[in-house]
Amino acid sequence: MATGQGHVKVEDVTKIYDPEGANVLAVEDCSFEIKPGEFLAIVGPSGCGKTTLLNMIAGFDHVEPKGKIYVDGELLAAPDKKLQPGPDRVVVFQQGALFPWKTVLENVIFGPRNTGKYQGSELKEKAEELLAFAGMKEFMNDFPSRMSSGMQRRVEIIRALINEPTILLLDEPFRALDAITKAVMHRFLLDTFDYTHKTIMFITHDLEESIYLSDRVAVMTTRPGKFKTWIDVKIPRPRETRVKASPEFIRLKEEVIEAVHEEAIKAFQRGEREMA
Ligand code: ADP
Ligand code: MG
């Protein structure tokens, strides 16, 4: 189901928060592309500007003072340009955002029902198909609060997918999960990627996760964030857990650890809160 869509181009973006006041240089001279259908993982020290980048791509935050962001050739963000969030780019955050008073099914169909994306029974059929894919169909009439965090995460991703975005933007979505739930979510996200071939930008603190899931890992520097190292992950898909024990995986892990470690030390010396 590759669509050939979902191309992201970030061109020479610098982001300053509160230029008149605190003047926080969050991202500096950042340029990169995400190819259509590519799974890009971004790692870097806490506070280096990862969420800032994601929010600018999502259209939640202004590009200011410099740079341009294109999606599928269209200029979507630049200084003085109105914010342009859109259903083509869907964000899943670390903190869950399901409506607790709605059932799983109601949560999933909420967005497309409002936009009138599907006609008649089509929407419910689509929702059921996606929930079945996520192993969640039997829970569709339950409320989120009764479910485990892993199940809630799956519902959130399904809720994002039903809008048929071309790009999924995931900001540390599995950060708060225990190791076993995380393993289940990795399987789910890998299957989702194989099934949909959406472009994915995935921010994480978990270096092993960044390699296991992605086609390419980008390591960012301490703030102001720039890209320090790009690492291609040429491990074939579909991926099984056992690839983590392969010599290639271990070699990649060493490469990523080394790049991140240097930045972690710099961040530590500057007194940043936390390392990635
Ligand atoms: P990351 O996601 O990599 O941890 P962020 O993108 O959240 O980092 O933040 C990058 C830097 O910008 C940090 O120093 C943060 O404190 C600062 N920052 C983030 N959002 C704002 C804001 N709305 N106003 C001022 N500074 C901000
Ligand atoms: Mg962040």
Side-chain angles (χ1 to χ4, degrees):
M1 276 210 319
T3 57
Q5 286 182 309
H7 177 236
V8 179
K9 188 171 181 200
V10 173
E11 204 174 84
D12 213 13
V13 166
T14 294
K15 171 71 181 176
I16 297 178
Y17 286 108
D18 193 13
E20 308 294 315
N23 192 41
V24 181
L25 177 56
V27 170
E28 190 174 36
D29 296 332
C30 221
S31 296
F32 68 101
E33 288 186 53
I34 316 177
K35 297 190 264 297
E38 182 181 33
F39 194 134
L40 174 70
I42 297 182
V43 297
S46 192
C48 76
K50 303 181 293 296
T51 298
T52 300
L53 264 182
L54 182 134
N55 281 339
M56 289 189 290
I57 295 171
F60 296 163
D61 211 337
H62 288 283
V63 170
E64 193 64 53
K66 185 164 81 88
K68 294 190 175 94
I69 298 175
Y70 298 87
V71 173
D72 291 326
E74 190 189 341
L75 179 64
L76 281 188
D80 303 321
K81 208 165 165 17
K82 202 164 119 283
L83 290 177
Q84 280 193 64
D88 55 331
R89 287 151 286 145
V90 184
V91 181
V92 177
F93 289 106
Q94 179 193 334
Q95 294 304 335
L98 294 173
F99 301 121
W101 60 88
K102 289 186 190 289
T103 64
V104 164
L105 180 65
E106 288 165 353
N107 264 287
V108 169
I109 64 180
F110 179 77
R113 173 170 281 165
N114 280 349
T115 56
K117 188 173 176 67
Y118 297 90
Q119 303 302 318
S121 58
E122 236 181 8
L123 175 56
K124 188 152 180 273
E125 281 161 23
K126 183 73 188 166
E128 288 188 16
E129 177 198 321
L130 286 168
L131 285 165
F133 166 74
M136 292 298 298
K137 196 172 166 197
E138 61 184 292
F139 304 102
M140 68 183 191
N141 296 314
D142 288 353
F143 289 93
S145 59
R146 297 192 42 204
M147 302 183 317
S148 69
S149 46
M151 289 158 96
Q152 293 180 17
R153 253 48 277 267
R154 274 183 278 166
V155 175
E156 280 164 42
I157 292 174
I158 291 306
R159 189 173 64 165
L161 287 173
I162 201 163
N163 294 300
E164 299 193 326
T166 48
I167 302 161
L168 272 179
L169 300 165
L170 304 171
D171 195 354
E172 305 196 44
F174 309 147
R175 183 175 184 160
L177 303 181
D178 63 84
I180 292 172
T181 307
K182 215 182 220 195
V184 172
M185 289 311 299
H186 287 165
R187 180 78 272 135
F188 173 64
L189 190 57
L190 284 169
D191 289 346
T192 301
F193 182 67
D194 291 342
Y195 179 63
T196 63
H197 276 286
K198 304 281 179 206
T199 303
I200 298 183
M201 174 169 159
F202 184 95
I203 293 174
T204 179
H205 269 72
D206 181 332
L207 307 183
E208 187 171 280
E209 165 178 276
S210 73
I211 301 164
Y212 183 46
L213 299 176
S214 80
D215 298 318
R216 208 154 49 121
V217 179
V219 179
M220 286 181 77
T221 63
T222 53
R223 189 171 70 81
K226 295 180 183 209
F227 286 98
K228 175 191 175 83
T229 313
W230 293 88
I231 296 162
D232 284 320
V233 180
K234 293 202 177 107
I235 297 172
R237 297 179 190 272
R239 289 183 189 163
E240 302 293 338
T241 323
R242 64 171 175 274
V243 303
K244 291 186 193 170
S246 68
E248 175 65 359
F249 193 92
I250 292 163
R251 188 191 64 74
L252 289 166
K253 205 168 148 182
E254 279 168 4
E255 210 177 315
V256 176
I257 286 172
E258 193 165 330
V260 170
H261 187 64
E262 280 174 19
E263 290 310 311
I265 288 172
K266 281 188 214 157
F268 181 71
Q269 285 165 348
R270 286 180 20 171
E272 298 273 348
R273 289 167 283 150
E274 203 181 319
M275 309 305 138

